[in-house]
Amino acid sequence: MGAVKDQLLKTTSISGERINIRRANENDAPAMFEIFSDPATVEFIHVPQAKSVQDTLENSIRGFHMSDPLGKWVIALKDSDWVIGGIDLRLTPDEQDAEIGYVLGSKYTGQGYMTEAVQMLLKYSFETLGLSKIHSFHATENPKSGAVMQRAGMHFVKLIPNHEEIDGVKIDSLFYEINHHEYDQQLFWAKFKKLQPDAQFGSAWAFGDFAEMATELAQLVLDGTKTATASAYVEYQLEDEALPEAFKGYDILLNGNDEPVAILQTTQVKTVPFNKVDAEHAFKEGEGDRSLEYWRNNHLRFWQQAFAEKGLEFDPNQAKIVLEEFKVVYK
């Protein structure tokens, strides 16, 4: 048994704000019968409708949970310990990634319990188990499950046709995931939001086109050396992306490992011809010897190569450049 699987097996409970995720026991049979005897609850899961409390005890608790407890828990209300749902974590063979599956009794939906449970399991998966990626999916006819995934921080990836068969019927599924970098970025943003509750998120990005450059330039920002950047205007057109605006939203700056290092706010934006970028702006970009000559040579080389890879030509006599200035508001 690998270290991750061993840790998973040892985890008998996870405590939350309103709920606990814990191992099932035989005393949970009445509560779990209430859940799994409801046709609305079992409509989109691979569990037959429970016929009795004894049936639930034998099949759900003893047959599923207690016979192989690895990554299997029930969701219980913290104040009463009454079971309201179930959640499980299914490791991939390499123990690097996992799938989350869950079910919630229909009378407990719409109260945020399932979102809380998924967030608790994501925290455990990334912070305790050190997993790389978590995914989940839901039937297209069950959009409420997708809403839980989105609220928990997962993002839609793709539609999988005929992904599952339930009661002999093939159904399509919508696939969601989150990796540990995205999870870290969300935590970083959440900490900032506590200080700036009205802050609007823009995007998460890194400088440069390779990891070493991204880390080097991010450090210049953290040091206070780099307070400006530049982009080719045509790139916004090609990607059908709006130009940045001053004091509109906040961005997460990443290093070369996709780790969040700072939150930036754009303070000034202007568009000028390449040959009109001045020494003041070059100095604020903070790269090399901070001279205009260095800025022109370095950026000309960068954009000529980037454009060539797209089958385009960068003409410094015609190109327009979007110049941005920014400030670090959190790090």
Side-chain angles (χ1 to χ4, degrees):
M1 182 180 295
V4 174
K5 188 175 289 186
D6 183 58
Q7 176 64 48
L8 185 58
L9 190 60
K10 291 177 181 176
T11 303
T12 59
S13 64
I14 305 170
S15 181
E17 210 171 295
R18 300 180 299 159
I19 57 174
N20 289 325
I21 294 174
R22 61 165 176 79
R23 290 275 169 77
N25 61 64
E26 295 189 355
N27 294 328
D28 295 325
M32 293 178 69
F33 172 66
E34 178 184 88
I35 295 169
F36 293 110
S37 61
D38 182 354
T41 300
V42 300
E43 182 179 4
F44 297 108
I45 61 176
H46 297 279
V47 176
Q49 186 176 353
K51 300 180 179 67
S52 65
V53 173
Q54 186 63 31
D55 174 48
T56 304
L57 175 63
E58 293 298 332
N59 293 305
S60 292
I61 297 178
R62 292 173 179 166
F64 179 75
H65 282 275
M66 299 179 73
S67 65
D68 180 15
L70 183 69
K72 299 173 184 175
W73 303 276
V74 293
I75 303 167
L77 294 173
K78 201 162 190 175
D79 57 358
S80 65
D81 201 38
W82 184 259
V83 173
I84 62 173
I87 192 165
D88 57 274
L89 190 68
R90 307 153 195 168
L91 291 174
T92 54
D94 63 4
E95 299 185 13
Q96 295 296 308
D97 305 333
E99 175 187 315
I100 286 181
Y102 51 82
V103 61
L104 186 70
S106 61
K107 66 185 289 185
Y108 302 101
T109 61
Q111 301 173 62
Y113 290 125
M114 200 70 255
T115 300
E116 183 179 344
V118 173
Q119 289 174 331
M120 288 166 61
L121 203 51
L122 289 176
K123 176 180 174 67
Y124 169 76
S125 298
F126 291 125
E127 297 185 21
T128 300
L129 298 182
L131 298 182
S132 295
K133 187 184 296 181
I134 302 295
H135 72 265
S136 192
F137 57 85
H138 69 89
T140 53
E141 293 86 356
N142 186 22
K144 289 183 179 180
S145 185
V148 168
M149 297 173 197
Q150 292 173 39
R151 287 194 296 269
M154 305 177 80
H155 61 86
F156 173 72
V157 178
K158 60 183 176 181
L159 167 71
I160 309 177
N162 301 317
H163 181 230
E164 290 191 281
E165 184 174 316
I166 297 179
D167 295 332
V169 178
K170 291 281 189 179
I171 61 173
D172 299 341
S173 294
L174 299 178
F175 187 90
Y176 285 76
E177 71 178 20
I178 181 173
N179 63 45
H180 71 98
H181 294 304
E182 294 164 337
Y183 174 79
D184 290 343
Q185 292 162 26
Q186 291 175 11
L187 283 186
F188 195 75
W189 176 255
K191 291 177 182 178
F192 173 63
K193 281 280 283 185
K194 289 183 179 179
L195 303 175
Q196 296 278 355
D198 297 329
Q200 297 297 311
F201 178 69
S203 60
W205 48 268
F207 287 113
D209 58 351
F210 57 89
E212 292 81 0
M213 180 186 292
T215 296
E216 178 183 340
L217 296 181
Q219 189 58 52
L220 291 178
V221 172
L222 296 177
D223 293 342
T225 304
K226 184 174 180 63
T227 61
T229 188
S231 307
Y233 178 84
V234 70
E235 291 178 309
Y236 290 97
Q237 294 178 309
L238 292 173
E239 297 174 15
D240 195 24
E241 185 178 334
L243 292 176
E245 295 181 46
F247 301 103
K248 184 179 181 180
Y250 298 84
D251 292 342
I252 297 177
L253 177 64
L254 309 175
N255 63 17
N257 295 319
D258 283 337
E259 298 165 337
V261 297
I263 291 180
L264 309 180
Q265 184 177 47
T266 299
T267 58
Q268 181 175 304
V269 181
K270 60 181 178 180
T271 302
V272 301
F274 178 86
N275 291 328
K276 294 295 183 179
V277 176
D278 58 25
E280 181 182 2
H281 180 84
F283 184 83
K284 289 178 179 179
E285 287 216 22
E287 300 173 33
D289 63 6
R290 307 181 75 171
S291 69
L292 180 58
E293 181 181 8
Y294 179 91
W295 186 94
R296 284 178 175 170
N297 291 336
N298 193 51
H299 283 75
L300 179 60
R301 182 169 56 251
F302 175 83
W303 280 319
Q304 285 180 332
Q305 179 179 339
F307 275 50
E309 290 173 356
K310 299 176 182 178
L312 303 172
E313 181 182 354
F314 180 82
D315 183 352
N317 296 312
Q318 300 292 328
K320 292 192 295 183
I321 307 301
V322 179
L323 305 181
E324 293 179 68
E325 294 185 27
F326 54 79
K327 63 179 179 180
V328 174
V329 296
Y330 181 80
K331 62 181 179 180

